[in-house]
Amino acid sequence: MSDTTESNPRITPVVVGDSRFDDDDELLDGLNPEQREAVVHRGPALLIVAGAGSGKTRVLTHRIASLIRNNEAWPSQILAITFTNKAAAEMRERVGHLLGQVAEGMWISTFHSACVRILRREAENFGFTKSFTIYDSQDSRALVKRIIKDLQADAFGFTVAQVTGKISKLKNELSDADSYARQANFSDPQDAMFVEVFRAYSRALRDANAFDFDDLISQTVFLFRAFPQVAEKYQRRFRHILVDEYQDTNHAQYALIRELTRPPESNELSGLSSFGGGGASLTVVGDSDQSIYAFRGADIRNIVEFERDFPGARVVLLEQNYRSTQNILSAANAVISNNFDRKDKKLWTAVGDGEKIVGFTGYSGHDEAQFVADEIAKLREGGMAYNQIAVFYRTNSQTRALEEIFIRSALPYRVLGGTKFYERAEIKDAMAYLTSVANPFDALALRRILNTPKRGIGPATETQLASFAEREGIGYRDAMRRASELGLGPKVTAAILQLAGLLDEATALADPERPGGEAPVSEVLALLMEKSNYVTMLRASRDPQDEARAENVEELLAVTKEFNRNNPDGTLIDFLTEVSLVAAVDDLDDSSGTVSLMTLHTAKGLEYDAVFLTGVEEDLLPHRMSASEPGGPAEERRLFYVGITRARKRLFISLAMTRAQFGETAVAMPSRYLQEIPAELMDWIQSPGMATSRGGTEPRALNASRGRSYGGSGGGSGSRWNSDSTFGLPPAPPRQKTEWANRVTGQVRDNGDLELVPGDRITHTDFGEGRVNQVTGEGSKRVAHVSFESAGPKKLLIKIAPIEKL
DNA sequence: GCTTTACCACTCTTC
DNA sequence: GTGGTAAAGC
């Protein structure tokens, strides 16, 4: 990474005259002048505007290391907020590497993790216990659903999604049920009912000793505001606060930062602080062009108005890109320049143009996926490692087609996010057992396991138990222990008592006071699963899927063991916290030799040698839902921009003319953003206008009338594709589309023991005839390398490929 | 109280 | 194509 900034007229020379930094060379080596400035600047506030790939992580880690190395701060005085746990771990490692030792006591974590840490310490100040549960969005939804039912709020037209969405939004703006009630319009029965629902929801969380995701931030702010002496503790402790991805902070997070950087009330100097008794020094890093979380309350104004918010703030611009080729950057610059209302910023690089961006238009999502798979195979042959290749898409549902083709092509891949392991019902069940042990107040968790596996404890019994607990003013666990007082049938009573006994036994095992200390999480879970017969029940089931579920539970057991290995002192609560706060990227394994599939949102902050941007179609990117939201299309453009700028060397952009959505095939139009990429930067293998199929088969009828009119944005100047076509040609008529879709998806087969050897001739339903060159792999993973006469070389998973030996 | 079946609505992005 | 719910039957 050489310093080539002399050629850039925009730079201002930075004087590093302060003797403090004289022996600091090592930390400044290889940094360009702006990066150096961002590392060495000292003051109350610093905004680093870091374009994509401009080395901001490097700057942040060097800045932290420099603070510690120069004895300007103890590690414990530093709080660094990152966007994901993975980024936090990486930053910790890099700082440790720079300093030559692990910096103990430094807080490097996400907003949520930092807040959980604070809340666990301080919970008892405001009516929670330190073993509170964290509700994920599924839990919140379940709770709201129940409340809507109880209050019969569905009569007012409330849906669960609406209510959870509104509550989340309000919490991100630091409103709670009371403050909302104060300005609610009670003459509107719907609004009045919403107040009731919000109240009931908040009360239920409090009663359950639980916080939802949004609470983690907002309640920490409330805590600081209500207990100044608590706030002061943290204001004194953290003298340097650094926040990454500042453009994606919401109001609650902004307020939290404000609280933390406020000068402590009593003005005594503390230790090594470089700013007397004032507020902590704040460094934020961000790029408003990469703001893609407005939908969850991120407020772009936080970064745009930073200088006004923090007077005396210094701003450093990082525009030199060290990641991508010029072609990729030019495309990114061209696209993002269509967003008005932004500070002009142009990424540039010294590495040269690189290859052109490759474009492809498939007839269907499957055709597109096949293109991706084929290109990945070529990249691989060219020596690129699978883990340097990523495929991005707008919505998780797009993974289906990609996965089908990838499996068939024997490409090793990994889907990040999506239907996450921890969201599966059986995992949720097992986790609910653990939660019930850790937090006996959590009614939601208890309710989930009360009759899972079936114990004959139905809704009627549950209600009785609940009202008994309320009547007596006791917790659920106590109520269960006293089940015999309820006058229920002997079988039900015994079942309740047995479950209570099991939970008590597990609680004793997880008790830190226990002789020998708290038992490892895996032991607690093993006991619960064993004695509840949960896994036994699954294995005995006739439903074939239950076998897979049982295996998932076993997998969870393995996860707990792994957790215990990595965290010998890790408690049950620690485990539950960790699981609640994992992000999709967090289980990205850099060393796995697989292609990564993820949404554009998940891709933020990552980089790959080769990137495939798929589904670049109207209604998908920009997504249909974004059209109605203010600022929606601009945010979608930023999303596209984020995707483009993830690529180092190769960028592939693809779309399909029809897409399976809803179980049926719908017409798809090229995205308006495609036209924004200068034509000379792209090489279309098959542009949206080209009407011939890739295998060279006959042209498909693409001249049917349009399904809907395409109201392109701006432009309107006609074709930009470097083919002879008109823009936005409509797709094939429905019958042909379905045929195509069926031909690819319709065949699930099992060739189990088909023996193939090099030289065999085979026929494939899609690719026609070909010759087997080589067979690799074993058992069900045997792969045939086939040269097809018309479709070229392919790799096929023998077990499931639609092939026959000739 | 449990199980099966049929119909429904929804599907955008996430800590 | 899925997942969740409601009703009917055991």
Side-chain angles (χ1 to χ4, degrees), chain A residues 145 149 400 662-663:
Chain A
K145 187 188 263 174
K149 207 169 175 183
R400 222 173 282 144
F662 247 164

PDB file of all heavy atoms in Angstrom, chain A residues 145 149 400 662-663, chain C residues 1-2 4-6:
ATOM      1  N   LYS A 145     -48.397 -10.489  19.631  1.00  0.00           N
ATOM      2  CA  LYS A 145     -49.507 -11.277  19.117  1.00  0.00           C
ATOM      3  C   LYS A 145     -50.465 -11.644  20.252  1.00  0.00           C
ATOM      4  O   LYS A 145     -51.680 -11.522  20.151  1.00  0.00           O
ATOM      5  CB  LYS A 145     -48.957 -12.548  18.473  1.00  0.00           C
ATOM      6  CG  LYS A 145     -50.018 -13.363  17.759  1.00  0.00           C
ATOM      7  CD  LYS A 145     -49.435 -14.694  17.334  1.00  0.00           C
ATOM      8  CE  LYS A 145     -48.993 -14.647  15.888  1.00  0.00           C
ATOM      9  NZ  LYS A 145     -48.292 -15.880  15.493  1.00  0.00           N
ATOM     10  N   LYS A 149     -54.341 -10.247  20.970  1.00  0.00           N
ATOM     11  CA  LYS A 149     -55.429 -11.203  21.158  1.00  0.00           C
ATOM     12  C   LYS A 149     -56.156 -10.907  22.480  1.00  0.00           C
ATOM     13  O   LYS A 149     -57.389 -10.825  22.530  1.00  0.00           O
ATOM     14  CB  LYS A 149     -54.872 -12.619  21.158  1.00  0.00           C
ATOM     15  CG  LYS A 149     -55.880 -13.661  20.712  1.00  0.00           C
ATOM     16  CD  LYS A 149     -55.179 -14.977  20.493  1.00  0.00           C
ATOM     17  CE  LYS A 149     -56.199 -16.058  20.167  1.00  0.00           C
ATOM     18  NZ  LYS A 149     -55.552 -17.368  20.026  1.00  0.00           N
ATOM     19  N   ARG A 400     -32.849 -19.258  -2.763  1.00  0.00           N
ATOM     20  CA  ARG A 400     -33.349 -20.577  -3.150  1.00  0.00           C
ATOM     21  C   ARG A 400     -32.782 -21.039  -4.489  1.00  0.00           C
ATOM     22  O   ARG A 400     -32.208 -22.112  -4.602  1.00  0.00           O
ATOM     23  CB  ARG A 400     -34.877 -20.556  -3.179  1.00  0.00           C
ATOM     24  CG  ARG A 400     -35.467 -21.803  -2.574  1.00  0.00           C
ATOM     25  CD  ARG A 400     -36.973 -21.674  -2.451  1.00  0.00           C
ATOM     26  NE  ARG A 400     -37.381 -20.856  -1.324  1.00  0.00           N
ATOM     27  CZ  ARG A 400     -38.433 -20.032  -1.341  1.00  0.00           C
ATOM     28  NH1 ARG A 400     -39.167 -19.927  -2.418  1.00  0.00           N
ATOM     29  NH2 ARG A 400     -38.750 -19.336  -0.273  1.00  0.00           N
ATOM     30  N   PHE A 662     -43.815 -15.588  -4.935  1.00  0.00           N
ATOM     31  CA  PHE A 662     -45.198 -15.901  -4.673  1.00  0.00           C
ATOM     32  C   PHE A 662     -45.556 -17.287  -5.112  1.00  0.00           C
ATOM     33  O   PHE A 662     -46.710 -17.642  -5.146  1.00  0.00           O
ATOM     34  CB  PHE A 662     -46.102 -14.975  -5.488  1.00  0.00           C
ATOM     35  CG  PHE A 662     -46.869 -14.035  -4.628  1.00  0.00           C
ATOM     36  CD1 PHE A 662     -47.475 -12.907  -5.169  1.00  0.00           C
ATOM     37  CD2 PHE A 662     -47.003 -14.246  -3.273  1.00  0.00           C
ATOM     38  CE1 PHE A 662     -48.172 -12.025  -4.400  1.00  0.00           C
ATOM     39  CE2 PHE A 662     -47.716 -13.367  -2.502  1.00  0.00           C
ATOM     40  CZ  PHE A 662     -48.293 -12.250  -3.060  1.00  0.00           C
ATOM     41  N   GLY A 663     -44.553 -18.073  -5.512  1.00  0.00           N
ATOM     42  CA  GLY A 663     -44.878 -19.381  -6.020  1.00  0.00           C
ATOM     43  C   GLY A 663     -45.186 -19.333  -7.500  1.00  0.00           C
ATOM     44  O   GLY A 663     -45.269 -20.348  -8.164  1.00  0.00           O
TER      45      GLY A 663
ATOM     46  P    DG C   1     -42.216 -25.297  -5.380  1.00  0.00           P
ATOM     47  OP1  DG C   1     -40.820 -25.146  -5.808  1.00  0.00           O
ATOM     48  OP2  DG C   1     -42.617 -26.324  -4.418  1.00  0.00           O
ATOM     49  O5'  DG C   1     -42.725 -23.887  -4.792  1.00  0.00           O
ATOM     50  C5'  DG C   1     -41.810 -22.878  -4.353  1.00  0.00           C
ATOM     51  C4'  DG C   1     -41.916 -22.600  -2.863  1.00  0.00           C
ATOM     52  O4'  DG C   1     -42.875 -21.555  -2.638  1.00  0.00           O
ATOM     53  C3'  DG C   1     -42.360 -23.779  -1.994  1.00  0.00           C
ATOM     54  O3'  DG C   1     -41.481 -23.839  -0.880  1.00  0.00           O
ATOM     55  C2'  DG C   1     -43.771 -23.443  -1.568  1.00  0.00           C
ATOM     56  C1'  DG C   1     -43.757 -21.918  -1.592  1.00  0.00           C
ATOM     57  N9   DG C   1     -45.057 -21.318  -1.880  1.00  0.00           N
ATOM     58  C8   DG C   1     -45.976 -21.722  -2.799  1.00  0.00           C
ATOM     59  N7   DG C   1     -47.043 -20.982  -2.836  1.00  0.00           N
ATOM     60  C5   DG C   1     -46.813 -20.018  -1.853  1.00  0.00           C
ATOM     61  C6   DG C   1     -47.615 -18.942  -1.413  1.00  0.00           C
ATOM     62  O6   DG C   1     -48.730 -18.615  -1.831  1.00  0.00           O
ATOM     63  N1   DG C   1     -47.001 -18.224  -0.409  1.00  0.00           N
ATOM     64  C2   DG C   1     -45.771 -18.491   0.128  1.00  0.00           C
ATOM     65  N2   DG C   1     -45.342 -17.688   1.088  1.00  0.00           N
ATOM     66  N3   DG C   1     -45.008 -19.497  -0.268  1.00  0.00           N
ATOM     67  C4   DG C   1     -45.595 -20.225  -1.258  1.00  0.00           C
ATOM     68  P    DT C   2     -41.589 -24.810   0.287  1.00  0.00           P
ATOM     69  OP1  DT C   2     -40.236 -25.309   0.586  1.00  0.00           O
ATOM     70  OP2  DT C   2     -42.707 -25.755   0.052  1.00  0.00           O
ATOM     71  O5'  DT C   2     -42.018 -23.824   1.464  1.00  0.00           O
ATOM     72  C5'  DT C   2     -41.346 -22.569   1.601  1.00  0.00           C
ATOM     73  C4'  DT C   2     -42.031 -21.767   2.701  1.00  0.00           C
ATOM     74  O4'  DT C   2     -43.277 -21.239   2.209  1.00  0.00           O
ATOM     75  C3'  DT C   2     -42.365 -22.588   3.964  1.00  0.00           C
ATOM     76  O3'  DT C   2     -41.912 -21.883   5.098  1.00  0.00           O
ATOM     77  C2'  DT C   2     -43.881 -22.681   3.945  1.00  0.00           C
ATOM     78  C1'  DT C   2     -44.268 -21.400   3.200  1.00  0.00           C
ATOM     79  N1   DT C   2     -45.581 -21.450   2.535  1.00  0.00           N
ATOM     80  C2   DT C   2     -46.489 -20.430   2.778  1.00  0.00           C
ATOM     81  O2   DT C   2     -46.266 -19.508   3.532  1.00  0.00           O
ATOM     82  N3   DT C   2     -47.678 -20.545   2.095  1.00  0.00           N
ATOM     83  C4   DT C   2     -48.039 -21.548   1.217  1.00  0.00           C
ATOM     84  O4   DT C   2     -49.130 -21.545   0.668  1.00  0.00           O
ATOM     85  C5   DT C   2     -47.044 -22.576   1.003  1.00  0.00           C
ATOM     86  C7   DT C   2     -47.344 -23.704   0.070  1.00  0.00           C
ATOM     87  C6   DT C   2     -45.877 -22.475   1.656  1.00  0.00           C
ATOM     88  P    DG C   4     -44.826 -20.378  11.638  1.00  0.00           P
ATOM     89  OP1  DG C   4     -43.511 -20.111  12.206  1.00  0.00           O
ATOM     90  OP2  DG C   4     -45.403 -21.734  11.738  1.00  0.00           O
ATOM     91  O5'  DG C   4     -45.865 -19.333  12.251  1.00  0.00           O
ATOM     92  C5'  DG C   4     -46.430 -18.297  11.429  1.00  0.00           C
ATOM     93  C4'  DG C   4     -47.935 -18.452  11.390  1.00  0.00           C
ATOM     94  O4'  DG C   4     -48.327 -19.285  10.274  1.00  0.00           O
ATOM     95  C3'  DG C   4     -48.550 -19.107  12.632  1.00  0.00           C
ATOM     96  O3'  DG C   4     -49.504 -18.226  13.204  1.00  0.00           O
ATOM     97  C2'  DG C   4     -49.190 -20.388  12.115  1.00  0.00           C
ATOM     98  C1'  DG C   4     -49.451 -20.053  10.653  1.00  0.00           C
ATOM     99  N9   DG C   4     -49.560 -21.195   9.767  1.00  0.00           N
ATOM    100  C8   DG C   4     -48.669 -22.234   9.620  1.00  0.00           C
ATOM    101  N7   DG C   4     -49.041 -23.117   8.733  1.00  0.00           N
ATOM    102  C5   DG C   4     -50.251 -22.632   8.265  1.00  0.00           C
ATOM    103  C6   DG C   4     -51.130 -23.160   7.278  1.00  0.00           C
ATOM    104  O6   DG C   4     -50.997 -24.191   6.617  1.00  0.00           O
ATOM    105  N1   DG C   4     -52.250 -22.360   7.108  1.00  0.00           N
ATOM    106  C2   DG C   4     -52.495 -21.198   7.790  1.00  0.00           C
ATOM    107  N2   DG C   4     -53.621 -20.552   7.491  1.00  0.00           N
ATOM    108  N3   DG C   4     -51.685 -20.679   8.705  1.00  0.00           N
ATOM    109  C4   DG C   4     -50.584 -21.451   8.893  1.00  0.00           C
ATOM    110  P    DT C   5     -50.166 -18.574  14.595  1.00  0.00           P
ATOM    111  OP1  DT C   5     -49.975 -17.404  15.450  1.00  0.00           O
ATOM    112  OP2  DT C   5     -49.716 -19.901  15.048  1.00  0.00           O
ATOM    113  O5'  DT C   5     -51.705 -18.689  14.203  1.00  0.00           O
ATOM    114  C5'  DT C   5     -52.282 -17.763  13.283  1.00  0.00           C
ATOM    115  C4'  DT C   5     -53.603 -18.309  12.802  1.00  0.00           C
ATOM    116  O4'  DT C   5     -53.377 -19.415  11.884  1.00  0.00           O
ATOM    117  C3'  DT C   5     -54.501 -18.857  13.914  1.00  0.00           C
ATOM    118  O3'  DT C   5     -55.826 -18.381  13.714  1.00  0.00           O
ATOM    119  C2'  DT C   5     -54.419 -20.364  13.734  1.00  0.00           C
ATOM    120  C1'  DT C   5     -54.230 -20.482  12.229  1.00  0.00           C
ATOM    121  N1   DT C   5     -53.590 -21.730  11.761  1.00  0.00           N
ATOM    122  C2   DT C   5     -54.181 -22.443  10.737  1.00  0.00           C
ATOM    123  O2   DT C   5     -55.210 -22.089  10.209  1.00  0.00           O
ATOM    124  N3   DT C   5     -53.505 -23.575  10.363  1.00  0.00           N
ATOM    125  C4   DT C   5     -52.328 -24.061  10.896  1.00  0.00           C
ATOM    126  O4   DT C   5     -51.820 -25.092  10.465  1.00  0.00           O
ATOM    127  C5   DT C   5     -51.767 -23.270  11.966  1.00  0.00           C
ATOM    128  C7   DT C   5     -50.483 -23.709  12.619  1.00  0.00           C
ATOM    129  C6   DT C   5     -52.413 -22.157  12.343  1.00  0.00           C
ATOM    130  P    DA C   6     -56.810 -18.324  14.948  1.00  0.00           P
ATOM    131  OP1  DA C   6     -57.143 -16.908  15.183  1.00  0.00           O
ATOM    132  OP2  DA C   6     -56.294 -19.167  16.052  1.00  0.00           O
ATOM    133  O5'  DA C   6     -58.092 -19.047  14.349  1.00  0.00           O
ATOM    134  C5'  DA C   6     -58.498 -18.773  13.014  1.00  0.00           C
ATOM    135  C4'  DA C   6     -59.337 -19.939  12.510  1.00  0.00           C
ATOM    136  O4'  DA C   6     -58.452 -21.016  12.093  1.00  0.00           O
ATOM    137  C3'  DA C   6     -60.270 -20.528  13.565  1.00  0.00           C
ATOM    138  O3'  DA C   6     -61.566 -20.671  13.010  1.00  0.00           O
ATOM    139  C2'  DA C   6     -59.651 -21.879  13.914  1.00  0.00           C
ATOM    140  C1'  DA C   6     -58.907 -22.242  12.640  1.00  0.00           C
ATOM    141  N9   DA C   6     -57.732 -23.084  12.847  1.00  0.00           N
ATOM    142  C8   DA C   6     -56.772 -22.942  13.811  1.00  0.00           C
ATOM    143  N7   DA C   6     -55.822 -23.854  13.751  1.00  0.00           N
ATOM    144  C5   DA C   6     -56.188 -24.637  12.667  1.00  0.00           C
ATOM    145  C6   DA C   6     -55.591 -25.764  12.068  1.00  0.00           C
ATOM    146  N6   DA C   6     -54.453 -26.311  12.512  1.00  0.00           N
ATOM    147  N1   DA C   6     -56.217 -26.315  11.001  1.00  0.00           N
ATOM    148  C2   DA C   6     -57.355 -25.768  10.572  1.00  0.00           C
ATOM    149  N3   DA C   6     -58.009 -24.694  11.045  1.00  0.00           N
ATOM    150  C4   DA C   6     -57.364 -24.180  12.108  1.00  0.00           C
TER     151       DA C   6
END
